[in-house]
Structures are given as C-alpha cells and as structure tokens.
Amino acid sequence: MDGEHIHIDGIVQGVGFRPFIYRLAREHALSGWVRNSSRGVDIEVWGPEAARDAFAQALGAQAPPLARITAIRRRMLPANGHDPAAGFVILESQEESGFTLISPDVATCPDCLRELFDPADRRYRYPFINCTNCGPRFSIIQALPYDRPATTMARFPMCDACRAEYENPLDRRFHAQPNACPDCGPHIWLEMAGAPRAERDDALRQAEALLLAGRILAIKGLGGFHLACDATNHDAVLRLRQRKERPHKPLAVMTPDLATVRRYCRVSPAEAEALTSPAAPIVLLFARADTDLSPAIAPGQDTVGVMPPYTPLHHLLLRDLNRPLVMTSGNRRDEPIARTNDDAREHLAQLADAFLLHDRPIHNRNDDSVIFVADEHPVPIRRSRGYAPEPIQLAFETPEPVLALGSFMKNTFCLLARDKAFLSQHIGEMDDVRVWDFQIESIRRYLDLFGVRPARISHDLHPDFAQTADAILAQLPGLADLPRTAVQHHHAHIAACLAENRVAGPVIGLAWDGTGYGPDGTIWGGEFLVADLAGYRRVGRFAPFALPGNEAAIREPWRIAVGLLSRQDARTPGETDEIFASFAPLREINVVAEQARRGLNSPRTSSAGRLFDAMAALIGLRTRVTYEGQAAMELETLARTAPSQPAWAIEPEDMADLYEIPSQAIMQRALANLRSGVAPAVIAARFHQTLIAAAAALVERIAADTGLREVALSGGCFLNRILLTGLTDALRARGFTIYTHRHVPPGDGGIALGQAAITAHTHRSPLTAH
Ligand SMILES: [Zn+2]
Ligand SMILES: [Zn+2]
C-alpha cells in the first residue's frame, strides 16, 4: 500500500473543508488523516494509486463553495507500516510558521435560513444560527489556527446537542467554530435609556415595534453597529440624517429579499448575483420612480445602495417587518463604526432611541462593502466585510514583505507577502485620532494573524504623510526604523489596477480623482501616465486651474467655476451676469476672481474631480457640497437624463498644449450653452461626452508616441459609470486593451495595493525613472 502527503493552500479553513475531505476519503476507500495547519490544510492518504489520483482530482473539482484553493502539492510518502484499519481521521490543528488565509464573514446560507424559519427546528428564530457554510469568520477570529478557542465564541461552551454536531464529520456543523443554539450560544437584548428592556424574541418584537413607530435603533451586527430606521418613513429618515449630521450622503437600505429589491430598483442578472453572493455587499442599483422609499435616502441620485439581510438577526427583522430598513454605519461623523456594546452606548447615545445588543463580541471591526456593476462585472467602491482579509493574488512575488499605509481618505492598508496582497478592511478618513487607532490596531492584528514581519514601509508622497507615518509607526514596535518608500498617489492608482489585473506594464495609465500630491508640489488629479510597477512618467494631464481659497473651493465649487471663467483682462467676471450672481454676493465673486487671477491662496490643480465639481456648480446643480464626490455624482445623475448628446467640438486652437485636456475651453463651451438656454441636463451630458472624446484622442496621441496599446483606468472618477463605460468603449473601438478595477476600489481604498506593489518593484528593477 502506498501513501502520499497532500498540502493545500488557499481559503480552506472555516469553509467545511475537512468534513469534505473526510467524506471524499471514505468515498474512495482511503485511510489516513486531514489536519488544519497554520499554512492551509495537510492531508495524508493511503491506498491504491488510482484511488489517490481520483481523490486528488475531486479535491479541486468538488471543493465546498466557499473554499478557494490556490495550490495543491502532492508528495509520495515512504512505506512505513501504515495500518489501513485505522481508517480516515480528522486530527487536531497544528501550529507552524508562515501564514494561512482567513475566510471573510459569510452571509447566512439557504440551509440555515430554512431552519431559522422552521418552527420544528431547535434553532427556530435563533439569531445566531450558522454552519460550516456560513456565519461569522474574520470578525470573530483572534488568532490562528481557526479553532473555537481562538475566536470570540470561546466564552460559550457548547451544549451536548451542539457538541455532537460539531464532532460529527457527516454533520453540516462539523467543526463549525461559531456553532451555537438558544441553549448554549449568544443571545440578544434590547436596551433603552441605559436599562435592559427585553430579552431574546421579546427583544426582537419590541425592536420591530419601535422601528415601525419611526424610532431609530442601534443594532449590533457582524462587523459593527448599524443605525436603522424604517426606510419608508420620511420623518424617521430625516431625523436620522439630522442626528448623524449627514444632510445628503446616500444611506444604505436593507430589503427582505430579491423580490422586494426589484420593487424598488432595476436589477440586472449580474446585480442579482452580487446581491445573493456570500459576501452580500451593498449594491448600487438604479432606483425606480414613485416607490414608497423616503426621498431623503439618496437625494440627487438616481441610484440607491441596497444590501440583502446577511445575518440571521437581519433575516428575522426584515421578514417580520416586511419592509426596507435604512441600515447605515453606526458611527458619529468621521469616527470608526462602533464595535463593542460599550462603544455603542457611549458614541451612539445621542443618535439612537434604543439598542438591540448581543453578547458575541466583534473582534475585527468591518464595515459593509459597497459595489456597483459595470460591463456585467462588479466594481468595488468600498472593499470590506465579506471580502477582507481575502488576499489579492498577484502575478509576482515580493522579494521582501511590505506594509503600505494607504491614503488619507477612505484609508485601507496593505500587507504584501510572497505573492499575496492582504488589503485591509475599510479603515476610514485619517483625520480623526480614533481612525488612527483603528488602523494601528488592525495593522498589529494582520501582522500577528499572518505571521508577517514587514521589511519595508510604503506611504504616500505627500509631506504630511511622512509625519503621519512617523506617528503611526511609533506605536508599532519594530516598524518605526524600517526603510520607507514614498509613492506618488496617481502612480499608486495605476499600479493597483495593474497588480489586480496581474499585468506588469508599461501601460498608458489614466488616474483621475479629486486630489493627490504631485512631486512638483502642485495638486494632481487628472493624470495621463506611462507607468509600470516600478516607475512612471507624466505624459498628459488636465490643463491646470486655480482652486481659489483652497479648501473653501472644495466645499464650495462655485469658486472653481469663477476662477476658470474669470477673464485675465476684466476686473470682474460678470458684474451683470445672472449666472454668477446666483453663486454668492457680487463682492464675494470679485474677491474669488481676484484670488484666482493673482494666485492668492489658490493652489493650481490638474484635478479631473474638481472640474466635475466646477461644472456642477456652473449649471446651478450644486454650488456647495456636504460630502466628497457629491457634485460629481449629482452631475452624472443629471447627465443620464439626457442620453445621446454629442461632445462639444474642441479645436486644436482651444488647446494651449496638445497633451492637456482643455479645462478652460470646456467650461467656456458650457457657459456659452448656458447663456443660449441649453438645458443643464444636456450640458452635463455633453460635458461627459467631451471628456471621453478628448481623453480618447489624447490616449491615441500618447500611443503614437510610445507604441503602447494597453490602457489602465483608475482613480475615483472611474466610479462614474458614464465615464467608465464610455471611455472603455471608445478606447476598445480604437483597438486598445483596457484594464479596469474588479477586485479593489478605483478610488483611494485601493491605493495601498498600488503602493505595496510599487515598493516591491522599486528596489528590484528600476525600469523607468521618476
Ligand atoms: Zn449555514
Ligand atoms: Zn447548543
């Protein structure tokens, strides 16, 4: 009798892999064992060669739905008196050096859902039902290997019935670490004004009554708290916005099932697939008109972010209430999402009328992920719960582990080791000390969980970020003195796109976003780069313009429009001009025009995002914004109401430089249209088409110069569907190969991957000069 050792890499823990192996080995009459190691799963099988081959083949072909096998390695074993009568067994986990992969949290599976609503089941209406195919994973894991004592379930000893399931290899709950039931597991309760009001199903019923009465609830979920209210109760939604100090930014909605989603939104097959996937993200869908959803959910937008119930508690709430709920992150403005019961009691007391709590601790905080579907593929807007910490598989191996600290906005960090990039869950805006603390704590956990010691640190080129890095690394023992690489923001965007597409470049990279520090000290944001993973050259850009008043221009984009349209020879841009007069008092407009002309507190920028803002302001759509990207998103929505508009004709004489998108000429066309009575929606649409045409022409010019035929699109502007699909189509029609984002966000949430990839290459093969 011959034996062999099989090692499997990938996400193979906590996904029902060992029972699957157990059944498979018995099916093929093989003896031996299977064991989780901290590096994956190890198997030893003994039996005839044909049976072992059939077994190895079935391993890959029939693996459980949540498993992700990245490698299977087989090696013959010396004959050693193995006794086939010992059968096939599951051994205890073993610790080793190296890293293993951790499953993200998984939405409730159909089997558990059936049991949840089956009055005969012992887990009928139990809010923590789960099995090997679903339930919490990353959010409860404290250490590896993934066994119950290393999770926040350690405090709940299993009852006899649960223990029997857990120990039976043929049971769906075999080694399901969070396995629990009403007798032995976590439970829920309701608190109001600091006092417990009800427990278990009673708590749920009272919570539902409060929601129906228009109250706002803080609900403890999988990766953090939500603030919830009835999405069809306009007053409740307005109250939630007021308390959260969030006047306009869209709120996510949870709906009972797919049929309900279709009542409120149009859903394509690819969108339905995303909504029913184990990751259960928020999906941005086009909203139907005239539904009973509060208009305050996504003001100014034609889309609404919808997510499915993804825990048993959500399923109970949503099915009982049979209506959509607003479910927005449970945090105060700019703070991280509340994680512990005490966090919520302290930070959400002014926001919530009641608290629906439970006693299963959340170890790793994890916000909801957000995606949209373009070209029948999901594009991440925020990659977090359900995805992190699953690594991005790369086409290269880094010579040394790298820790990349990411960006100021929508921060994530990235740990790069071997050929895997562990992009963290969403951390937040790095302008609050609590967000810093969250980043520091999460970095520490990733380093421990994956057993990686970085050899180099990567961060943004912005001079302020060097100081931020100092402050963060000072709290991470051993990291403060590591060598550092500063990476340009837009190069990082393109590198992130290349890395996830597993291409090395060079490519023509279009990195369009709001703001990033340029090595010339100006603000970049509408860049055409020739780039690979080692370096870049800037070969084109949006013609730079002034941001009069700097930060003020970002909050009040009418200032940018005035700056772009104020004439060099005139003292005021439009003393008698109604269009300008609508922005602000004339005196203020004159001050802004003067600021722009003389360059007083008016940094120059090539930002595409800021040009979108200026256009939205000019046509009177949005002169003052309350969240990043608001004006641009509203402009996109408006443009969709006027389909099939032609681009404005841009002549070479409009262009001071053939390698620039003529920002000023485009604004002047819009102003001329506006003065001759063209509808704002038509102007918005022509603006989009003009950018697409001008960008395609400039790419053609760069391609002629360089011979490159591959183009990467990255940066937050490519969350704009008109721009993304329009430019992709235009460039494909000209024969270019296009790389876009599918796995990490085009926006700043993907920056850390690019920083890490560049840092891994810069010290190995400097192909191009900075
Ligand atoms: Zn399940
Ligand atoms: Zn139990």
Side-chain angles (χ1 to χ4, degrees):
M1 171 165 294
D2 288 327
E4 64 179 286
H5 183 96
I6 304 177
H7 178 79
I8 300 176
D9 269 335
I11 295 186
V12 286
Q13 296 191 14
V15 294
F17 205 79
R18 286 175 304 169
F20 156 70
I21 296 295
Y22 178 88
R23 283 191 296 269
L24 202 62
R26 302 226 307 192
E27 227 171 80
H28 292 276
L30 295 165
S31 56
W33 51 260
V34 58
R35 176 171 68 195
N36 272 351
S37 73
S38 56
R39 305 184 63 132
V41 164
D42 287 306
I43 304 166
E44 206 176 290
V45 281
W46 294 82
E49 186 179 357
R52 284 186 282 109
D53 284 347
F55 172 81
Q57 214 195 341
L59 268 184
Q62 300 169 20
L66 300 176
R68 299 267 184 288
I69 296 177
T70 55
I72 299 178
R73 280 192 296 276
R74 301 171 66 182
R75 139 176 91 77
M76 289 302 293
L77 292 170
N80 63 359
H82 169 79
D83 175 14
F88 195 89
V89 293
I90 294 169
L91 298 182
E92 287 296 301
S93 301
Q94 196 184 43
E95 293 232 33
E96 278 174 45
S97 60
F99 58 77
T100 195
L101 306 186
I102 296 173
S103 169
D105 296 315
V106 181
T108 310
C109 77
D111 288 332
C112 286
L113 203 52
R114 208 170 304 119
E115 291 168 353
L116 181 64
F117 291 107
D118 174 3
D121 193 274
R122 71 188 190 92
R123 292 188 179 86
Y124 176 59
R125 291 184 65 84
Y126 179 55
F128 301 93
I129 187 171
N130 68 83
C131 73
T132 16
N133 299 319
C134 73
R137 296 290 186 274
F138 177 54
S139 62
I140 61 165
I141 291 180
Q142 297 165 312
L144 286 178
Y146 172 59
D147 281 335
R148 193 172 179 107
T151 72
T152 63
M153 285 298 291
R155 60 167 67 181
F156 301 100
M158 274 181 272
C159 67
D160 290 346
C162 286
R163 165 77 47 198
E165 294 165 337
Y166 181 88
E167 287 174 353
N168 176 4
L170 298 176
D171 195 279
R172 200 172 90 243
R173 297 195 165 88
F174 175 70
H175 280 218
Q177 306 303 346
N179 189 29
C181 76
D183 292 337
C184 65
H187 73 282
I188 57 169
W189 68 93
L190 186 75
E191 276 183 23
M192 280 179 90
R197 290 284 284 264
E199 284 196 2
R200 303 185 187 232
D201 218 40
D202 221 20
L204 194 62
R205 301 296 188 182
Q206 289 195 29
E208 289 163 1
L210 288 168
L211 286 166
L212 281 178
R215 311 297 280 276
I216 295 166
L217 258 67
I219 300 177
K220 188 175 184 180
L222 194 53
F225 276 75
H226 283 120
L227 288 166
C229 74
D230 179 351
T232 65
N233 184 329
H234 188 53
D235 289 340
V237 177
L238 290 179
R239 208 173 316 124
L240 175 55
R241 282 204 173 281
Q242 197 183 14
R243 291 186 192 172
K244 244 195 134 180
E245 296 172 51
R246 180 165 157 162
H248 305 117
K249 196 176 178 188
L251 301 167
V253 169
M254 189 177 272
T255 51
D257 50 30
L258 202 52
T260 319
V261 182
R262 292 186 199 282
R263 276 220 307 278
Y264 291 105
C265 301
R266 303 204 307 266
V267 185
S268 75
E271 287 165 341
E273 195 183 318
L275 281 168
T276 51
S277 71
I282 297 169
V283 183
L284 282 197
L285 300 169
F286 288 111
R288 293 188 189 281
D290 303 321
T291 66
D292 59 359
L293 274 193
S294 158
I297 284 171
Q301 310 292 321
D302 55 0
T303 55
V304 55
V306 176
M307 70 180 136
Y310 55 83
T311 70
L313 181 60
H314 296 152
H315 279 287
L316 291 165
L317 273 171
L318 272 290
R319 191 174 290 200
D320 290 351
L321 289 167
N322 192 28
R323 67 183 56 214
L325 293 180
V326 167
M327 291 284 259
T328 187
S329 298
N331 56 352
R332 282 190 306 215
R333 202 185 173 119
D334 298 332
E335 289 182 359
I337 186 170
R339 179 175 67 88
T340 66
N341 292 343
D342 282 342
D343 266 358
R345 289 180 186 116
E346 182 189 340
H347 293 270
L348 306 180
Q350 310 303 316
L351 281 70
D353 299 310
F355 294 80
L356 189 56
L357 303 176
H358 63 70
D359 53 357
R360 185 181 70 201
I362 297 167
H363 187 65
N364 295 303
R365 184 190 273 123
N366 215 342
D367 281 73
D368 291 320
S369 295
V370 189
I371 68 151
F372 70 100
V373 171
D375 210 5
E376 294 300 298
H377 288 282
V379 182
I381 298 172
R382 182 165 73 196
R383 180 187 182 275
S384 208
R385 177 191 51 77
Y387 301 95
E390 187 172 350
I392 314 291
Q393 180 64 43
L394 305 171
F396 63 87
E397 196 156 314
T398 180
E400 54 186 9
V402 175
L403 172 66
L405 298 177
S407 179
F408 285 116
M409 298 177 69
K410 301 177 174 61
N411 180 271
T412 62
F413 62 88
C414 181
L415 184 60
L416 184 58
R418 304 213 291 256
D419 59 351
K420 293 183 173 54
F422 298 91
L423 187 65
S424 76
Q425 71 268 40
H426 172 73
I427 302 290
E429 315 302 317
M430 295 289 280
D431 46 19
D432 184 293
V433 67
R434 277 160 294 225
V435 179
W436 285 32
D437 289 343
F438 176 28
Q439 200 210 39
I440 291 163
E441 169 193 271
S442 303
I443 289 174
R444 201 175 285 135
R445 288 179 181 174
Y446 272 59
L447 298 183
D448 288 348
L449 280 176
F450 299 113
V452 174
R453 299 314 299 170
R456 187 172 284 276
I457 303 293
S458 179
H459 64 74
D460 194 89
L461 185 63
H462 196 295
D464 288 355
F465 215 105
Q467 289 168 29
T468 304
D470 281 338
I472 288 168
L473 296 171
Q475 297 188 53
L476 291 162
L479 302 193
D481 298 327
L482 293 177
R484 298 185 197 174
T485 303
V487 175
Q488 202 280 325
H489 187 94
H490 301 95
H491 183 207
H493 272 308
I494 298 303
C497 188
L498 296 181
E500 73 154 84
N501 281 285
R502 301 184 201 184
V503 292
V507 296
I508 301 170
L510 275 60
W512 294 10
D513 65 359
T515 298
Y517 182 82
D520 57 1
T522 69
I523 302 166
W524 290 18
E527 309 310 312
F528 293 73
L529 311 176
V530 167
D532 59 17
L533 292 176
Y536 73 97
R537 270 184 305 128
R538 188 194 207 188
V539 292
R541 60 179 179 176
F542 277 59
F545 50 88
L547 293 177
N550 201 355
E551 291 295 318
I554 294 171
R555 286 191 306 272
E556 301 188 354
W558 64 266
R559 294 168 188 270
I560 309 173
V562 168
L564 268 157
L565 292 164
S566 64
R567 289 170 42 196
Q568 294 299 320
D569 55 349
R571 217 183 128 53
T572 58
E575 285 177 11
T576 58
D577 198 315
E578 279 178 31
I579 292 168
F580 288 89
S582 68
F583 296 154
L586 188 59
R587 185 184 45 78
E588 208 175 336
I589 291 179
N590 287 338
V591 169
V592 169
E594 186 67 11
Q595 265 184 327
R597 257 197 303 271
R598 295 177 47 194
L600 298 170
N601 189 24
S602 296
R604 312 274 302 165
T605 185
S606 53
S607 166
R610 298 287 95 90
L611 192 65
F612 272 87
D613 291 351
M615 184 61 66
L618 177 66
I619 63 174
L621 179 65
R622 178 60 58 189
T623 53
R624 290 166 179 79
V625 302
T626 64
Y627 65 92
E628 164 74 17
Q630 178 180 15
M633 285 163 65
E634 292 179 358
L635 192 69
E636 179 192 354
T637 291
L638 184 66
R640 255 193 294 275
T641 64
S644 312
Q645 296 297 325
W648 289 306
I650 302 287
E651 309 300 337
E653 54 268 28
D654 293 321
M655 302 172 70
D657 183 328
L658 287 177
Y659 292 86
E660 287 181 350
I661 303 287
S663 316
Q664 201 170 22
I666 289 171
M667 290 296 285
Q668 284 163 348
R669 293 289 188 289
L671 182 61
N673 272 197
L674 205 56
R675 288 195 163 129
S676 54
V678 177
V682 172
I683 296 175
R686 298 193 72 177
F687 171 67
H688 279 81
Q689 294 311 319
T690 304
L691 290 189
I692 290 166
L698 182 41
V699 167
E700 197 87 86
R701 211 164 285 137
I702 296 166
D705 294 345
T706 60
L708 297 173
R709 302 299 300 172
E710 293 173 292
V711 179
L713 304 180
S714 190
C717 290
F718 291 105
L719 296 172
N720 179 314
R721 299 187 206 211
I722 303 174
L723 194 61
L724 175 63
T725 55
L727 192 50
T728 302
D729 291 349
L731 291 170
R732 279 201 188 124
R734 291 164 192 241
F736 288 97
T737 300
I738 313 299
Y739 301 114
T740 58
H741 287 277
R742 299 268 186 264
H743 301 290
V744 307
D748 287 0
I751 281 277
L753 171 61
Q755 290 174 343
I758 290 165
T759 301
H761 282 76
T762 308
H763 300 279
R764 198 162 48 158
S765 57
L767 298 179
T768 45
H770 281 223

